[in-house]
Amino acid sequence: MELFLEGFKHALYLLFSGDMEVYSITLLTLKVSFTAVIISSIIGLPLGVLLGLKTFHGRRLLLVFVNIGMGLPPVVAGLWITMLLWRSGPLGELSLLFTPIAIIMAQVLVSLPIVIGLTSSAFQKIDSNMLLQLKALGATKIQTFLILVKETKIGILAAIIAGFGRIMAEVGAAMMVGGNIQGDTRILTTSIVMEVSKGNFEVALALSFILMVIAFTITFCLTFLQQREGSR
């Protein structure tokens, strides 16, 4: 218990003492995490809508792959991105390995299936009678889409929250593709792992408290928005 208290005190000290390294790590964590969840949402939400509403050849197989991807181990995602960005890889000439962009790519890879899968599930639950009613009333495709989005907004926000949670908890892939380079690719999760390996449990706990505060605050805001929308 004393160790946790010391870690909490150290977290407060790091935050209010003006430790520029901690601020830099926290800022980079927020930057890559928000970028990754925005990209996952931009790509994943339309694909989830498509898989949830449309019936076409190969749809079930795609849903199977999406569900498999929801449980994709982060280290596997990190390995794939590393091979893609390696010097002899398809994108090796871009020199993106061990950069924040590589971390974002890995985070998108682990969160995208979650956003697609949960969005698809939300749209699959729409009553078919509702679609028939909208068609009978002469609603255009855009009007129909907007109405359906309004009906499934709770599920859509749940997909974004789950994707963000996966991103914030990710460490294996970020360590592999980012290299945990000080001042360049070091984020909170990789910093915690590094401090634990060095035996600096006080610092690791302090960083973990900072990470939890960020994750809980953002998740709370998204959940509050979700429940507010659901009560209307």
Side-chain angles (χ1 to χ4, degrees):
M1 187 64 183
E2 185 178 347
L3 186 61
F4 281 95
L5 290 175
E6 289 300 321
F8 180 72
K9 291 178 183 177
H10 200 62
L12 294 177
Y13 171 76
L14 290 175
L15 283 174
F16 296 107
S17 66
D19 191 310
M20 294 309 298
E21 184 176 359
V22 172
Y23 287 157
S24 175
I25 292 171
T26 303
L27 183 61
L28 181 61
T29 301
L30 291 172
K31 188 183 297 184
V32 297
S33 298
F34 276 123
T35 303
V37 77
I38 289 171
I39 293 173
S40 294
S41 300
I42 291 174
I43 299 174
L45 293 179
L47 290 178
V49 172
L50 179 65
L51 290 173
L53 290 180
K54 298 295 182 180
T55 302
F56 53 88
H57 184 69
R59 173 176 173 269
R60 290 185 178 180
L61 182 61
L62 286 175
L63 286 172
V64 169
F65 282 119
V66 168
N67 289 331
I68 292 173
M70 291 174 71
L72 179 69
V75 289
V76 175
L79 176 62
W80 290 351
I81 297 298
T82 300
M83 293 174 64
L84 184 68
L85 301 179
W86 198 254
R87 288 190 299 270
S88 57
L91 301 180
E93 294 182 359
L94 299 177
S95 300
L96 295 177
L97 193 61
F98 304 133
T99 67
I101 294 177
I103 298 177
I104 292 170
M105 291 174 67
Q107 290 180 337
V108 169
L109 186 57
V110 297
S111 62
L112 184 58
I114 295 175
V115 176
I116 295 174
L118 294 182
T119 303
S120 172
S121 178
F123 275 84
Q124 286 181 60
K125 293 178 182 178
I126 294 175
D127 191 348
S128 58
N129 291 328
M130 182 180 179
L131 295 174
L132 293 175
Q133 289 176 353
L134 290 173
K135 189 175 182 180
L137 291 171
T140 64
K141 289 185 178 180
I142 294 177
Q143 289 173 330
T144 300
F145 175 74
L146 293 176
I147 292 172
L148 295 180
V149 167
K150 186 176 180 181
E151 288 294 316
T152 57
K153 56 192 173 187
I154 294 179
I156 291 173
L157 281 170
I160 296 173
I161 291 170
F164 177 76
R166 181 68 182 273
I167 287 170
M168 290 298 291
E170 201 288 311
V171 60
M175 183 78 78
M176 189 178 296
V177 303
N180 196 32
I181 302 171
Q182 185 177 11
D184 194 8
T185 60
R186 185 167 295 173
I187 58 177
L188 284 171
T189 51
T190 58
S191 297
I192 292 169
V193 173
M194 182 191 68
E195 295 298 339
V196 169
S197 67
K198 291 162 59 177
N200 297 332
F201 293 102
E202 220 175 70
V203 179
L205 275 171
L207 293 174
S208 73
F209 282 127
I210 296 172
L211 178 63
M212 285 190 295
V213 167
I214 293 172
F216 288 164
T217 301
I218 296 172
T219 303
F220 173 80
C221 292
L222 290 173
T223 304
F224 178 79
L225 178 62
Q226 180 193 44
Q227 297 305 314
R228 182 183 177 185
E229 292 293 331
S231 64
R232 290 181 179 178

